[in-house]
Amino acid sequence: MAPHSIHEPVPISKSLDFVYEAASLPNQRKRWDALRSRFASLYGGKPDFIARSPGRVNIIGEHIDYSLYEVLPMAIEADVIIAIATSAAQQAKVTISNINSQKFKSNEFIIPANGELDIDASTHAWTNYFKAGVKGALGLIKAGDASVAPRSMSVLVDGNVPSGGGLSSSAAFVCASALAVLHANRPEPVSKKELVELAIVSERAVGVNSGGMDQAASVFSVRGDAVSVSFSPELHAEPIAFPQTEPPITFMIAQSFVAADKHVTAPECYNLRVVECTLAAEFIAAHLHLNLESDSSPLGQSLRGFQNAYYASRYRTPESSSWNEEEKLIHMVEVVEKTLSDKRGYTRDSIAAVLNIQVPELEQRYMTKFPVRASNFMLRQRALHVFQEAIRVTEFKALLKTPPPENGHDDLLRSLGALMNETQASCRETYECSCPELDELCTIAREAGAYGSRLTGAGWGGCTVHLVPMGKVDDVRKAWEEKYYRVKFPDISEEKLAEAVVASEPGQGSVM
C-alpha cells in the first residue's frame, strides 16, 4: 500500500480470483451465482452491481481504537455482499431482502428527498445497518451537491460473517451498504478513506460508539498483509507484511458460540467502556489543569487527546522531548497510577466534582448520546489497559518489521505470542471484557501448542484469535473439539463444528 493509497478508490473487479483464495473459489462462485439468481426471481432482472465488504479479526490493539490509538487488524474471507438495481423515481424507495429470508424479513422504506432517514436504534432491526449506510452516503453526496435526487434501490443481502461472533459483521454490513449507496447515487469512484470515515459515523447511528478499527480493516485491507490503522492526527493505514518464518505464521480463529451482540449489551459493556475511557481522559486532564481539544473519538475527547495535550504543556521536559512513542506511553501509565488512585472506581458525584460540573450535566454530556448503566466507573483500570495495550501494539509492530535471524524464527513467534497473551490477561483482569468461555478457548490452545491466544472483537463472548505454528494447527483444532465444543455442545453438528474454527490468512478489503 503506497503512502497515500488510502485515498485510492475502492477497487472494481470482474473476477472473484481477486477477492478469494483458490481453495474457496468453487463455493464462492456458487454463492455469488445464487445471489444473482435469487435477485432475478425477486426483482425480475439482474443487479446493476454487487458491493462487498469483509469482516475482520484484530490481531492486537483491543478496545483502543476509540481512544485513537493504533491497532493491527486484518480482513478475513467471510463477508457481506449486496446486490443492487437502481431506478430514478419521484419518491425514492428501498426494497430490501436477505438470502436468509426466514431469519431476516424483507422490508421497504421511503428515502426522504433530503436523505435524512430516521433510524430507531432501540429496535435492533437488521435493516438499520443498511439504513445507516443510506443516511451516511446520501448525507455525504448532498453535502457536495444538494440537488442530487436519491434513486430507488432494489436490494438483496447475503452475509456469512457470524453475527455476535466478534468478527465485525455489523461493520462489514455498514461498509458494504455505504459503498453500494454511494456507487448507486453518484458517478465518481468511491475513495477508501472517504468510505471508512463515512462508515464509522454511520454505524454510530445504530447505537454503538464505534471507534473505527472495524471499518478501516474492512475497507483498507489487502490480501496477504495485516493493516496498521492509526487515528491521530488523522486516519491513516499502512500494510504490515508478516515475515517469512519457519514454521510459517498462522492465525486460527475459534468461535465461543457465546453471542456478543454489542448493540444489545452496549449500555453495560461496549458503550460503558467508551464512556469510561472518555471520562478517564477528562478526569486526569482536569486534575492536571489541562484543556483537551475536541477530536474524532466517539464523544469528542480521548486518552490520545490527553497524551497530546500533556506533551504540549508545561509537563513536557527536555528529557521527554526526546522520547519515542513507547517511552511516552510508559510515562502515561505512571501518570494514570498517580492521578487515578482509587481502584474501587469513581461515582458520578466524584467525577462531576473533579470536572467542576453538576451530575445532570455530566450525564447529559457523556451518557445521553449512548446510554450506559453503571453506578461506579472504573477509570483507572480502563486507562491503564488503553496505554499498556498501545505499548503492546508498538512492540508487536517493531517485531514484525525486524526480520529475524535464520535461527531466531521461534524466538520471534514466541515474542509475538507473549504480547497476545498479555492482551488477553489485560482484557480479562483490567478491562473486564472477557468471559469464561473465551478464557477456556485460550487456555486449551496454549496447552496444545499455540504461541499466543486472546479474545478478538468487543469481547464478552464472540471469537478468539491464536498465533499457532503450522505443525500444531491440527493439534489445536482437535483439542478444542475434545475439550470445548464436544463438552459444551454435546449435540453439535459436524457442519457447525467445521464452522467453529478457521485457519485464516489476511484477506482482501472492500470491492465492487
Side-chain angles (χ1 to χ4, degrees), residues 254-280:
Q255 292 195 52
S256 67
F257 292 129
V258 175
D261 190 338
K262 66 186 181 185
H263 302 84
V264 175
T265 63
E268 295 174 352
C269 298
Y270 188 89
N271 283 354
L272 178 57
R273 295 300 181 274
V274 177
V275 170
E276 286 175 319
C277 288
T278 306
L279 290 175

Side-chain angles (χ1 to χ4, degrees), residues 62-283:
E62 208 58 75
H63 279 282
I64 63 173
D65 57 330
Y66 49 79
S67 290
L68 303 187
Y69 281 99
E70 192 172 3
V71 292
L72 194 69
M74 69 182 196
I76 57 175
E77 198 167 87
D79 55 17
V80 173
I81 53 177
I82 302 179
I84 287 192
T86 71
S87 59
Q90 192 93 26
Q91 187 170 50
K93 181 178 75 172
V94 170
T95 305
I96 181 169
S97 296
N98 196 293
I99 283 285
N100 187 350
S101 57
Q102 287 191 319
K103 184 176 181 181
F104 303 107
K105 301 302 181 185
S106 299
N107 197 3
E108 289 186 349
F109 57 88
I110 300 298
I111 304 176
N114 63 5
E116 281 294 323
L117 275 173
D118 287 328
I119 300 174
D120 183 0
S122 67
T123 66
H124 309 298
W126 77 275
T127 49
N128 278 356
Y129 299 98
F130 191 80
K131 285 182 178 179
V134 172
K135 183 176 182 177
L138 291 179
L140 179 68
I141 291 169
K142 284 187 166 291
D145 184 354
S147 68
V148 172
R151 295 178 66 81
S152 286
M153 291 176 279
S154 300
V155 182
L156 181 61
V157 179
D158 181 25
N160 60 7
V161 186
S163 177
L167 300 176
S168 297
S169 57
S170 57
F173 194 179
V174 172
C175 287
S177 300
L179 174 60
V181 177
L182 284 171
H183 191 74
N185 286 276
R186 72 175 194 190
E188 307 99 87
V190 179
S191 145
K192 291 180 180 179
K193 185 172 187 285
E194 173 183 64
L195 177 58
V196 169
E197 292 174 337
L198 167 62
I200 291 171
V201 175
S202 295
E203 191 172 345
R204 291 174 186 166
V206 296
V208 169
N209 273 320
S210 175
M213 171 186 67
D214 302 343
Q215 298 81 3
S218 187
V219 175
F220 289 138
S221 291
V222 293
R223 267 175 66 180
D225 291 342
V227 57
S228 171
V229 185
S230 54
F231 304 92
S232 179
E234 62 177 1
L235 180 66
H236 180 72
E238 63 170 328
I240 301 291
F242 293 107
Q244 298 299 310
T245 61
E246 188 55 49
I249 290 177
T250 307
F251 289 100
M252 297 183 75
I253 303 163
Q255 292 195 52
S256 67
F257 292 129
V258 175
D261 190 338
K262 66 186 181 185
H263 302 84
V264 175
T265 63
E268 295 174 352
C269 298
Y270 188 89
N271 283 354
L272 178 57
R273 295 300 181 274
V274 177
V275 170
E276 286 175 319
C277 288
T278 306
L279 290 175
E282 294 272 35
F283 188 105

Side-chain angles (χ1 to χ4, degrees), residues 445-498:
R446 291 182 197 127
E447 290 174 349
Y451 289 116
S453 298
R454 54 174 293 268
L455 66 83
T456 185
W460 299 286
C463 284
T464 51
V465 61
H466 310 263
L467 177 61
V468 182
M470 184 70 78
K472 292 289 186 178
V473 167
D474 289 341
D475 291 346
V476 173
R477 191 190 301 269
K478 183 179 178 183
W480 280 330
E481 179 180 344
E482 293 176 352
K483 297 179 181 180
Y484 183 83
Y485 296 113
R486 296 288 185 193
V487 173
K488 293 193 178 299
F489 312 101
D491 300 324
I492 191 170
S493 67
E494 292 300 321
E495 182 182 7
K496 189 165 185 178
L497 189 60

